[in-house]
Amino acid sequence: MLLNRAIIAALIVAVAAFLMYLAALARAALSPNESYAASIGLTLDQCVAAQDGLSAEAARLYCRRPVPKRL
């Protein structure tokens, strides 16, 4: 009896985790924009470091600007 309850509790936790995973996927898929840094596969710090001609703040703003997501 106790084993059945443990199995049911584990199953409920697994289903809840899977549903949260699906919700995160849906949120990412429905988001229209992503940052420029993410669109070219860089972290924000890597993108800022690559912007030689800009000040640190201007480079950060440039790398954070939204661009349409490529599907």
Side-chain angles (χ1 to χ4, degrees), residues 2-16:
L2 187 60
L3 181 62
N4 287 342
R5 287 185 183 178
I7 291 173
I8 290 173
L11 185 61
I12 289 172
V13 168
V15 168

Side-chain angles (χ1 to χ4, degrees), residues 19-32:
L19 289 176
M20 289 175 60
Y21 169 73
L22 287 180
L25 283 179
R27 188 178 318 115
L30 295 175
S31 171

Side-chain angles (χ1 to χ4, degrees), residues 3-62:
L3 181 62
N4 287 342
R5 287 185 183 178
I7 291 173
I8 290 173
L11 185 61
I12 289 172
V13 168
V15 168
F18 181 69
L19 289 176
M20 289 175 60
Y21 169 73
L22 287 180
L25 283 179
R27 188 178 318 115
L30 295 175
S31 171
N33 295 324
E34 63 184 344
S35 71
Y36 174 71
S39 74
I40 59 174
L42 296 176
T43 65
L44 182 61
D45 291 335
Q46 289 171 331
C47 181
V48 168
Q51 307 307 316
D52 294 332
L54 299 175
S55 68
E57 185 60 31
R60 191 167 291 279
L61 288 173
Y62 180 79

